[in-house]
Amino acid sequence: MTNSPIKQAPHLAPSTTTATEHQLRSPKSNRGLRKLQSAHQLSSNYAALNAPSLISQQRQHQHRNPSSTNNNLAPQIPPLPTSSSHHRTRSNSDAVVPNASGSAIAAKRVAASKKNPPNQNPREELEGLVRQGPQGDVPAELSRLRHLVLCEGLYADSDGMSQIRIYIWLILLNAPAISTDSYLDLIRRGASPAYSKIRNDTFRTLATNPLFKRRVSEASLIRLLNAVAWKLHDAKIEKLAEPLMVNAANERGSPELQHASPVVKHAQGPPTTTATDGSEAGGTEPGIYVQGMNVLCAPFLYAARSEAEAFVAFHGFVTKECPGYVRGAMDGVHKGLALVDKCLAIVDPKLSSYLQSKHMKAELYAFASVLTLCACTPPLPEVLQLWDFLFAYGPHLNVLCICAQLVIMRETLLTSQSPTKLLRSFPPLQAKLIVEITVSNLRKIPADIYDELVHHAE
């Protein structure tokens, strides 16, 4: 953007291509129509922008009804069969067709879908769910989607690129659609209060990964992180501006409710954060950037087909699924580290005892893995495959995935006199094996510990 008012942050200039340039003006092909049908059909209501995600709604329901879930808090993750036993035909599209020509094309697609055999290819079924949306029972379709992700996986090339992965993520995260202009408005605001801290981190984001460097530029990473920082900054300002109900005593000593303005609140004591604190936020106040968010953001940009898609997915993830990870004190990360030690003691007591005897707690070797959902461990295609599972059944299962990596290293660790050196960097990810071990170990986790897993990142 050559006419951008951003002078102090030249890297914040967005791409000259906007969403309006990609709008379909004439539905001349099935491919053109399919571009109109994104994964947002499962969450197309824009008013749901601040609504909790589907995963969060399930957790809230469990929290409100502990009696019905006390004995079975773990999600119903099916076993990993050699072949899927659930089949359904491709559903019809419910997308709005702009004109008669589009209606004719849509009718042809519906007719073609009816000709598909009942035993549909899992890859085609996944693509059908994304393009055409659910038909009928949405919870059942979501359950089917999760099952397909777990048992069949997403088709991807050797670089981990998949045409539908970002849309599957958006569905599972319940991320609503936004216009590209909304993202560009955040870019045009220039450098956020956390801009200097972002610039200090972005240049080293997955610096040794050629796949990431070839596809994602540093300027793109800066723009997205800066836009998310502005969004979090605005949310913090709105929270500070809300009137706070405080108890005050009258001359007779009886308490009465009074409204305290933001000025009064600041007069009562120094705030734990300021509007320009960047990653220096403390306590339970939300921050706008913490070190490590650059690595957490990287897979979203790699998998997405536009910065706007990556923005809405990443912002929804950090605000709804793991807000405790991006607070200044990073209390969610520290809770996750404590749970790594607890869960490892349950699934492999011998290995846990050995590491404890060497004074090797999870906070010494698993901090980055907890914060970034294992995105810090190559290869990147395996990270994307692991994230498919985590978004399908809950990011809290990342703690058990870290335990699974330790179990894979078990024999090497137990025979090593210095496991510290081995745990300085985890071996390359093996997503499929990690998921299998995680699903198996999940049955060993008691209900109370699993409840801690579910809520530790809130």
Side-chain angles (χ1 to χ4, degrees), residues 83-233:
S83 62
S84 177
S85 59
H86 296 274
H87 305 284
R88 72 165 183 83
T89 58
R90 180 179 292 179
S91 58
N92 298 335
S93 173
D94 59 353
V96 178
V97 181
N99 51 40
S101 175
S103 300
I105 297 174
K108 292 180 180 179
R109 182 168 64 251
V110 171
S113 68
K114 292 180 179 179
K115 297 179 182 179
N116 290 337
N119 296 330
Q120 193 175 28
N121 184 283
R123 177 182 175 185
E124 294 180 354
E125 187 173 354
L126 277 171
E127 293 176 352
L129 283 172
V130 171
R131 293 194 183 108
Q132 302 167 18
Q135 188 71 25
D137 190 357
V138 175
E141 294 290 83
L142 283 172
S143 178
R144 176 61 179 160
L145 176 63
R146 293 188 177 101
H147 184 270
L148 287 171
V149 169
L150 174 67
C151 299
E152 304 295 340
L154 303 184
Y155 174 80
D157 59 23
S158 59
D159 292 343
M161 298 306 302
S162 171
Q163 295 292 328
I164 63 172
R165 171 169 277 127
I166 186 61
Y167 303 117
I168 296 291
W169 288 3
L170 290 169
I171 292 171
L172 296 173
L173 293 172
N174 199 22
I178 66 166
S179 65
T180 303
D181 289 339
S182 299
Y183 174 67
L184 294 178
D185 288 341
L186 294 170
I187 300 299
R188 295 188 184 103
R189 292 172 64 176
S192 70
Y195 178 72
S196 61
K197 300 179 185 298
I198 292 172
R199 289 300 305 273
N200 287 338
D201 290 341
T202 52
F203 73 93
R204 53 176 174 248
T205 303
L206 304 184
T208 60
N209 193 311
L211 294 178
F212 179 78
K213 288 298 182 181
R214 185 168 63 241
R215 179 172 174 84
V216 180
S217 67
E218 183 184 358
S220 179
L221 189 61
I222 292 171
R223 284 194 296 267
L224 192 146
L225 289 170
N226 193 75
V228 170
W230 271 126
K231 195 77 172 178
L232 297 177
H233 172 270

Side-chain angles (χ1 to χ4, degrees), residues 354-376:
Y354 181 74
L355 293 179
Q356 293 294 330
S357 68
K358 299 293 184 179
H359 307 288
M360 288 296 298
K361 293 186 177 180
E363 61 185 9
L364 299 178
Y365 60 83
F367 187 91
S369 296
V370 172
L371 173 60
T372 66
L373 270 68
C374 297
C376 59

